[in-house]
Amino acid sequence: MMRVLLPLPVVLPLFAAGCSMAAARRRWLQRLIGIAALSACVAAAVAILLHADREGPAAAFMGGWDAPVGISLVADRLTGLMLVVAAPVLLAVLVFATGQPGTEKEQPAFHPVYLVLAAGINLSFLTGDLFNLFVAFEMMLTASYVLITIGGRRDQVRTGMTYVVINLIASTLLVATIGLLYAATGTVNMADLAGRIGHLPGGVRVAFALLLFVVFGIKAAVFPLFFWLPDSYPSAPTAVTAVFAGLLTKVGVYCLIRTQTLMVAPGDRPIGFMLAIAALTMVVGVLGAIAQNDIKRILSFHIVSQIGYMVLGIALFSVAGLAAAMLYLVNQIVLKSTLLLTAGIVDHAAGSSRLAEVGGLARRHPIVGWLFLLPALSLAGIPPLSGFVAKLSVIDAGFADHAWIAVGVAIAVSILTLYSMTKIWGGAFWGEVEVVAEPSDAMSRRYGATAPMLASTAALVVLSLALAVFAGPLLELCQRAAADLLSPTAYISAVLP
Amino acid sequence: MSLVLALCTALLFSLGTWLLLQRRLTRIIIGLGLIGHGANLLLLLSGGRRGVAPFIGQIGERTPADPMPQALALTAIVIAFGVTAFLLALAYRSWQLTGDDLVEDDLEDRRIAATRSTASDEEVADQRELSAAEAALESSTGGAAPLEEAE
């Protein structure tokens, strides 16, 4: 059964992308195809997670070749969890895009490219082969290159260049790392690598650990490799920024977790280095956010800052730390997408997302106010919202491992996060009503946005509230997943029986 | 043989890096191409020593070449080809829009760097005037120098 189920989250969006391309002249058909394919992905992802949680890691081999020669797709608890969170976010953002005037309506390429992006993201989570991971990244990134420059405006071309070039360098570095790993071990299958890498000399093992950290660190936007992110994300269309913010950097974090636990032996893990990077990422990200005056740019710097918390959790390499990092990852995927979608609604309702140009939105459109307030407070870690649970578990894990400095930084940064959330709230939602341009349709003038935009954002807010309500079972699931990661025998024997 | 190729890889990486540090997009694209070739050569070299074509039934006593890195390098080449085409299109679009393919600074960053405190709206409004003046100056002189003058 898993032979059919595992490739579905990749194959379905890809097939739908082809169909969507053929239906380029009929926008309603493209929407139908996209929403149907991504809804099916949600179902497939849930089935994969349930199977992985009940019966342990499952593997499927593509093209009739067994591992380590053929490409293997592997689903353990971490993969299942990532798929389950990514799928509804992808779906909600697509629904948001259909309700937003602009990109989706004007560009026939939007739907096919978006579906390829979804397939690439899902493949990165599923693949058990390092070279296939590179291919998955390229699928995802090539789609993102198109999406980030889709309007062809001057600022998009400028930021698109930085984005494409920096990602290409990271990809080339990944290819070089894969080449070196193959030369040293003779395999690119992750499970096989996990067994063979231990036989290498110590210096070479540490070099590989650091190379993999740098490669995925660029994708995850950790300090000092984050500079491309706040520059490029805000200029893309809102729906695109939301999915990038929610998922692309998080794929990098997922790969960090996967490679650092599976392919780096416990003695070789760069723990102190990663803790320092985590603390610097948190601080520099949040300080950057405080200096900004545009909602989208503030949130983009917060993406960087929040990555630090996840790296902190990973760097502890304990069950509690990894579980906390995963819980944080899940939370951030939902929260960041929601917040950027609300930024898009602000942009839509008031004609600008610059704090100096908009104001009084909470009085004008109370619904939009609530849609921003809940995820913003959650991001800052206010109880009882989901961000609080995630932050608490990271800090708790840090205490358990005596990482005092990093924990202190994490607490200070969450206060600064709250400050910059209140800055957005005070600038855009309170005060005198200020608008640059009114939206044209009646629904938007009354409620702030069109029905699909409000519904999809509200659905994500509900999802983030659900994460708080079901935090207990979710944390237990994360702990089981973390225990799997730290003793990956089940993962390896699923791929290499 | 292998030493020559290893030196080639090193040369390609270093030349590519030098070109990447330039400000013109066309040079950056050529640099990326060179680095990409370096990485592909590295992949190819990772397969070890040369040998005969690895077809079943034709190898006999001789040692076959490792076909895996070749397959990987082919995949990487195809991907790099597609992305380079996209980058060239982007450079062309940049030339259409600005008549140049210089990578510009992040204006918002410059604006914020010029601000001492970002609290009040008046200051932000001042900043906007400042940056408009700055942009006007910049278009006449074309350098980063006007920033200090405007301050």
Side-chain angles (χ1 to χ4, degrees):
Chain A
M1 199 210 31
M2 288 317 265
R3 269 184 63 112
V4 184
L5 194 56
L6 276 190
L8 273 186
V10 184
V11 175
L12 272 176
L14 270 188
F15 181 70
C19 296
S20 186
M21 198 75 131
R25 285 168 197 279
R26 295 184 184 79
R27 203 48 42 87
W28 64 270
L29 189 57
Q30 279 194 320
R31 287 176 185 170
L32 191 69
I33 292 170
I35 292 172
L38 292 178
S39 308
C41 277
V42 177
V46 170
I48 290 174
L49 176 65
L50 288 177
H51 185 277
D53 193 33
R54 217 171 289 149
E55 287 164 43
F61 305 102
M62 302 296 106
W65 290 89
D66 279 348
V69 180
I71 291 169
S72 45
L73 299 182
V74 196
D76 62 352
R77 291 192 177 99
L78 172 60
T79 300
L81 190 61
M82 291 287 97
L83 288 173
V84 166
V85 187
V89 170
L90 282 165
L91 181 62
V93 173
L94 185 68
V95 173
F96 183 95
T98 60
Q100 198 186 22
T103 312
E104 193 263 350
K105 294 189 178 53
E106 289 156 12
Q107 308 281 349
F110 177 82
H111 281 276
V113 176
Y114 186 82
L115 288 167
V116 173
L117 181 84
I121 291 172
N122 287 342
L123 183 59
S124 323
F125 291 143
L126 273 167
T127 188
D129 181 289
L130 207 53
F131 193 80
N132 196 236
L133 179 64
F134 161 71
V135 175
F137 263 137
E138 287 309 302
M139 257 165 84
M140 176 176 97
L141 291 172
T142 312
S144 73
Y145 302 156
V146 178
L147 288 176
I148 211 165
T149 54
I150 200 161
R153 294 197 318 263
R154 186 171 167 171
D155 60 323
Q156 287 183 333
V157 170
R158 184 189 69 75
T159 56
M161 277 179 202
T162 327
Y163 179 77
V164 176
V165 169
I166 198 78
N167 275 300
L168 264 181
I169 296 171
S171 297
T172 315
L173 212 55
L174 180 57
V175 172
T177 312
I178 292 170
L180 294 171
L181 269 171
Y182 187 80
T185 60
T187 182
V188 288
N189 186 291
M190 292 195 214
D192 202 13
L193 271 171
R196 293 200 198 184
I197 214 161
H199 302 300
L200 297 174
V204 179
R205 292 204 306 264
V206 175
F208 278 131
L210 288 176
L211 261 177
L212 290 169
F213 185 80
V214 170
V215 168
F216 297 120
I218 298 179
K219 313 268 185 194
V222 300
F223 175 87
L225 307 167
F226 70 91
F227 54 89
W228 53 273
L229 190 149
D231 186 14
S232 54
Y233 277 17
S235 65
T238 312
V240 173
T241 317
V243 76
F244 282 15
L247 288 166
L248 290 202
T249 48
K250 310 308 184 283
V251 174
V253 176
Y254 162 82
C255 291
L256 273 181
I257 299 181
R258 177 68 78 204
T259 53
Q260 296 293 328
T261 55
L262 187 61
M263 284 153 52
V264 183
D268 302 333
R269 289 171 182 153
I271 294 177
F273 170 72
M274 279 174 77
L275 279 178
I277 292 283
L280 284 168
T281 309
M282 287 187 264
V283 173
V284 174
V286 86
L287 291 182
I290 284 173
Q292 305 297 318
N293 289 312
D294 182 295
I295 301 179
K296 284 189 190 179
R297 285 183 69 96
I298 294 178
L299 292 174
S300 296
F301 271 99
H302 275 298
I303 299 174
V304 178
S305 173
Q306 304 298 321
I307 297 285
Y309 285 88
M310 294 168 219
V311 178
L312 168 59
I314 302 169
L316 299 171
F317 287 108
S318 61
V319 171
L322 282 171
M326 274 178 238
L327 190 63
Y328 212 93
L329 191 55
V330 168
N331 261 301
Q332 284 300 312
I333 290 177
V334 180
L335 285 179
K336 272 285 138 53
S337 309
T338 321
L339 281 172
L340 274 147
L341 289 183
T342 6
I345 293 181
V346 170
D347 206 353
H348 178 78
S352 166
S353 60
R354 297 185 63 84
L355 290 179
E357 294 171 358
V358 297
L361 277 174
R363 195 177 315 154
R364 205 173 139 90
H365 306 298
I367 299 178
V368 181
W370 280 107
L371 289 181
F372 176 81
L373 187 65
L374 288 172
L377 289 179
S378 184
L379 185 80
I382 302 293
L385 296 163
S386 59
F388 167 72
V389 184
K391 215 159 258 184
L392 184 68
S393 55
V394 168
I395 289 169
D396 199 30
F399 272 134
D401 274 17
H402 309 294
W404 307 116
I405 300 176
V407 168
V409 170
I411 294 170
V413 166
S414 63
I415 296 170
L416 293 176
T417 308
L418 183 61
Y419 164 72
S420 73
M421 288 299 128
T422 45
K423 182 174 166 183
I424 299 183
W425 183 254
F429 290 92
W430 272 353
E432 294 298 305
V433 175
E434 289 174 76
V435 244
V436 176
E438 291 252 341
S440 52
D441 59 302
M443 173 87 188
S444 297
R445 241 178 270 156
R446 180 113 187 253
Y447 296 106
T450 56
M453 290 165 84
L454 288 176
S456 56
T457 316
L460 283 181
V461 171
V462 170
L463 184 61
S464 80
L465 291 178
L467 287 181
V469 174
F470 298 104
L474 188 63
L475 186 61
E476 278 163 24
L477 175 65
C478 289
Q479 277 162 347
R480 287 198 294 276
D484 285 355
L485 288 173
L486 287 174
S487 55
T489 39
Y491 182 95
I492 294 170
S493 61
V495 182
L496 305 164
Chain B
M1 180 62 191
S2 191
L3 181 69
V4 176
L5 285 179
L7 286 176
C8 262
T9 312
L11 192 70
L12 283 170
F13 266 100
S14 48
L15 278 177
T17 310
W18 184 71
L19 281 171
L20 265 181
L21 299 176
Q22 311 281 316
R23 207 80 205 253
R24 294 199 176 278
L25 195 60
T26 34
R27 291 192 181 186
I28 294 175
I29 294 172
I30 297 172
L32 276 174
L34 288 183
I35 288 196
H37 288 327
N40 290 334
L41 205 55
L42 187 73
L43 263 186
L44 201 64
L45 281 172
S46 68
R49 300 196 151 269
R50 55 186 291 189
V52 294
F55 293 120
I56 296 172
Q58 291 184 18
I59 302 168
E61 299 288 290
R62 296 160 297 178
T63 43
D66 188 350
M68 176 92 154
Q70 302 178 16
L72 301 187
L74 270 179
T75 316
I77 290 171
V78 173
I79 291 173
F81 170 74
V83 178
T84 310
F86 180 78
L87 258 180
L88 283 171
L90 207 58
Y92 179 67
R93 177 75 186 160
S94 168
W95 176 78
Q96 271 186 333
L97 289 170
T98 62
D100 206 340
D101 67 341
L102 274 181
V103 179
E104 295 167 87
D105 275 338
D106 185 352
L107 289 178
E108 185 78 19
D109 258 5
R110 299 263 303 272
R111 202 172 294 147
I112 287 161
T115 327
R116 293 257 160 65
S117 76
T118 53
S120 71
D121 289 4
E122 296 94 290
E123 274 171 340
V124 174
D126 285 350
Q127 275 312 308
R128 217 171 301 135
E129 279 166 31
L130 184 143
S131 61
E134 184 189 304
L137 267 173
E138 205 174 290
S139 60
S140 60
T141 54
L147 200 101
E148 284 94 54
E149 286 170 29
E151 264 185 49

